Amino acid sequence: MYSVPVAGLCPQGSYGIQDSLRSGFTSVKNELLPSHPLELSEKNFVLNQDKMNFSTLRNIQGLHAPLKLQMEYRAARQIQRLPFLQSSNLALDTLRGSDDTIGFEDILGDPAQSEMMGEPHMMVEYKLGLL
Amino acid sequence: PAAGFNFDNAARNAAFDGLFEGGQTPKPMKTGTTIAGVVFKDGVVLGADTRATSSEVVADKMCAKIHYISPNIYCCGAGTAADTEKTTDLLSSNLTVFSLNSGRNPRVVMAVNILQDMLYRYHGQIGANLILGGVDCTGNHLYTVGPYGSVNKVPYLAMGSGDLAALGILEDRFKHDLELEKAKELVRDAIHAGIMSDLGSGNNIDICVITKQGVDYIRPFQESEYKETRKPKYKYRPGTTPVLTKKVVPLKLEVVEETQQRMDTA
């Protein structure tokens, strides 16, 4: 399920060239190991929490409960705006119960305030399969 | 781009550490502190000093270390100044939303649980040592939360770099069910011991008394005797400088041109 990045093949900088100033020289170690102890755990935090909650629910109430809930999650995840616009994910938040809590992910790195935006026409054409 | 903490620069920063001899990356502002709390008969007394340091330099002489969480809960913070501020702000917002949703005053255990979850998630990278004190429907409580998420419930407490000195005073004179004035004196003396014996603590002492009737946030409770007399504005009253001689030379002005301009009073 996890793809192993190969050094030199997919540089993270813009224009496809390795951005030495921001990410350092290319090396396999750089791309395989996380540079910060929290990087991996933070990337998968919501997933891991959901997994834990679902497995507890399965143990308490049986298989039907997480199945039904996951179906609702899948439906809620599909309610999105156009590809280049940030959507509020209100239904997903309500299902998870995080609609009345504030955490660091609401204050820092808000995608609505990000400096980079995708090219709108390209993204919509890609989504509709016209590209 | 994912929301939340951004680790893009972590590799670059780690490379910087070895590059400059002696580490020239700016150090975060720590509160290198003495904070203390005591449970007394009618509530909780929290005390803190007011110095914030950035390595060897005093960054803030009048730093407010006792943060508001909810009308009946206050929190003292030691550790990295920004971390304690932001964490207590987030905690306060969450508790406010909860109390609006449910119509109840938040309890101290709720604050402690939220903090514990939040700090454990970040495995100690958020450097916040907090003392939470409050009065709720179940009684008067005093808790400490460490940066890795450890929680301790105690009747008297001191944290920060000056905690050993403060704890000495508290261990010696603490008794259960103290009176208000005695409790305030005890906390004041504990913080004073921390200020005298620790370089990271100093300047004034703030005290916050929380009872069922309300909160009394006394800032400053005691000012240090090394206050300076520098004023932010230099304004002297006329006559401060004595006048020695006076010479008046009238300027002769000639009228060259005179014009009249109507004022627009529409």
Side-chain angles (χ1 to χ4, degrees):
Chain A
M1 184 150 62
Y2 303 108
S3 54
V4 176
V6 180
L9 230 53
C10 253
Q12 309 96 307
S14 51
Y15 308 114
I17 310 181
Q18 175 66 5
D19 194 350
S20 307
L21 186 65
R22 291 210 194 99
S23 352
F25 297 115
T26 43
S27 79
V28 183
K29 182 168 126 191
N30 262 354
E31 295 182 36
L32 277 179
L33 298 174
S35 41
H36 196 271
L38 282 181
E39 197 170 343
L40 276 179
S41 85
E42 274 301 292
K43 199 155 64 150
N44 302 326
F45 185 75
V46 177
L47 246 95
N48 285 340
Q49 222 185 17
D50 281 350
K51 261 197 245 181
M52 208 166 63
N53 287 340
F54 280 137
S55 82
T56 326
L57 197 58
R58 180 193 177 153
N59 288 334
I60 298 176
Q61 293 192 9
L63 189 55
H64 74 98
L67 270 182
K68 285 199 183 142
L69 276 181
Q70 274 187 319
M71 193 178 74
E72 291 182 22
Y73 272 59
R74 218 168 261 234
R77 212 171 287 146
Q78 290 179 353
I79 309 172
Q80 297 276 339
R81 289 183 185 223
L82 288 174
F84 53 94
L85 288 173
Q86 199 49 38
S87 64
S88 65
N89 290 328
L90 187 60
L92 204 53
D93 271 347
T94 314
L95 276 177
R96 278 214 188 98
S98 62
D99 59 339
D100 53 2
T101 49
I102 304 178
F104 285 112
E105 56 274 352
D106 299 306
I107 309 176
L108 300 172
D110 190 5
Q113 320 264 9
S114 120
E115 302 104 20
M116 293 187 287
M117 193 177 92
E119 166 77 48
H121 296 287
M122 297 268 147
M123 291 172 84
V124 176
E125 284 178 17
Y126 178 73
K127 180 165 179 232
L128 294 176
L130 298 171
L131 202 62
Chain B
F5 287 108
N6 192 334
F7 297 104
D8 284 347
N9 285 333
R12 182 202 69 171
N13 292 343
F16 270 161
D17 267 341
L19 225 50
F20 305 111
E21 316 79 357
Q24 289 178 5
T25 49
K27 295 265 175 308
M29 182 160 98
K30 295 184 134 278
T31 51
T33 298
T34 311
I35 45 180
V38 153
V39 172
F40 72 103
K41 195 168 70 165
D42 308 316
V44 176
V45 176
L46 297 170
D49 72 307
T50 57
R51 176 181 288 183
T53 54
S54 170
S55 302
E56 321 81 35
V57 179
V58 174
D60 192 350
K61 292 187 272 271
M62 238 337 225
C63 173
K65 296 186 192 177
I66 307 187
H67 308 284
Y68 165 86
I69 305 273
S70 83
N72 56 332
I73 307 177
Y74 273 70
C75 171
C76 304
T80 311
D83 288 347
T84 56
E85 287 255 1
K86 263 291 172 269
T87 322
T88 46
D89 273 351
L90 278 176
L91 177 64
S92 165
S93 311
N94 277 327
L95 282 181
T96 321
V97 171
F98 162 80
S99 68
L100 285 170
N101 260 341
S102 62
R104 296 196 168 103
N105 250 350
R107 302 192 190 179
V108 189
V109 277
M110 293 182 210
V112 171
N113 279 330
I114 296 178
L115 268 183
Q116 193 176 23
D117 288 337
M118 203 191 294
L119 291 176
Y120 180 69
R121 174 176 166 178
Y122 295 102
H123 292 282
Q125 301 282 343
I126 297 192
N129 294 308
L130 304 163
I131 292 188
L132 272 140
V135 174
D136 58 30
C137 54
T138 50
N140 319 325
H141 304 283
L142 188 66
Y143 285 88
T144 171
V145 184
Y148 284 83
S150 56
V151 168
N152 219 353
K153 178 169 165 33
V154 265
Y156 63 91
L157 200 42
M159 293 283 270
S161 52
D163 63 348
L164 292 174
L167 218 42
I169 303 278
L170 287 173
E171 294 265 358
D172 188 30
R173 292 178 7 202
F174 175 78
K175 284 189 240 315
H176 283 286
D177 291 335
L178 283 168
E179 292 298 329
L180 173 61
E181 287 309 317
K182 281 262 162 22
K184 282 201 321 210
E185 297 267 309
L186 181 57
V187 173
R188 199 270 317 272
D189 290 340
I191 306 281
H192 191 68
I195 290 178
M196 286 292 133
S197 324
D198 177 41
L199 285 180
S201 319
N203 302 92
N204 313 330
I205 302 180
D206 291 343
I207 295 263
C208 183
V209 180
I210 312 174
T211 52
K212 227 198 303 237
Q213 285 80 34
V215 172
D216 194 14
Y217 191 162
I218 314 169
R219 173 178 158 81
F221 185 67
Q222 174 185 296
E223 304 213 311
S224 85
E225 52 259 22
Y226 301 102
K227 238 165 64 106
E228 54 203 4
T229 49
R230 267 183 282 171
K231 293 187 263 291
K233 268 203 226 172
Y234 288 103
K235 200 157 188 260
Y236 298 98
R237 55 172 183 82
T240 321
T241 328
V243 179
L244 295 178
T245 53
K246 198 153 111 171
K247 180 173 170 193
V248 178
V249 175
L251 285 171
K252 285 204 194 46
L253 294 170
E254 284 182 3
V255 179
V256 174
E257 194 191 327
E258 197 175 298
T259 51
Q260 236 186 28
Q261 218 176 33
R262 293 206 68 93
M263 197 165 70
D264 207 346
T265 53

